[in-house]
Amino acid sequence: LREDAALTLGDLGDARAIPVLTQMLEDWRPGVRFACAVALGRLGRAEGMASLQLARSLRLGDDFGQLNDQIHEMCAFSLALLG
């Protein structure tokens, strides 16, 4: 449910979602963090860049690090979209 909410916020294109998405980048569930990175990229606002850069270095618990790597890659992709 949180993943869908994050993606919907990104689709809406409203910059007021940035603080919420930024906070959710620290969610314990990797899927939520991934969706937030996607959403921030979709918003296309420079205000999300600092959060995405921070999330690239954040390592929250997962079994083998693979999910963190995927999240870091999505953050990098979203940052590239932002320029």
Side-chain angles (χ1 to χ4, degrees), residues 38-68:
V38 171
L40 285 167
R42 286 181 181 171
L43 284 173
R45 306 287 173 96
E47 297 95 325
M49 288 182 79
S51 300
L52 289 167
Q53 289 169 338
L54 178 62
R56 286 184 69 194
S57 63
L58 191 63
R59 293 200 72 81
L60 296 174
D62 79 63
D63 293 336
F64 303 105
Q66 294 172 341
L67 294 174
N68 277 311

Side-chain angles (χ1 to χ4, degrees), residues 19-35:
V20 173
L21 293 169
T22 297
Q23 182 179 3
M24 290 172 61
L25 277 172
E26 297 183 17
D27 194 279
W28 66 273
R29 289 180 293 182
V32 173
R33 296 195 310 271
F34 187 89

Side-chain angles (χ1 to χ4, degrees), residues 41 44 49 52-53 56 73-83:
M49 288 182 79
L52 289 167
Q53 289 169 338
R56 286 184 69 194
E73 289 173 18
M74 181 49 67
C75 288
F77 177 76
S78 293
L79 284 166
L81 289 176
L82 295 171

Side-chain angles (χ1 to χ4, degrees), residues 2-14 17 21 35 39 42-43:
R2 288 184 184 179
E3 293 91 340
D4 292 336
L7 293 172
T8 299
L9 287 172
D11 288 340
L12 291 174
D14 190 338
L21 293 169
R42 286 181 181 171
L43 284 173

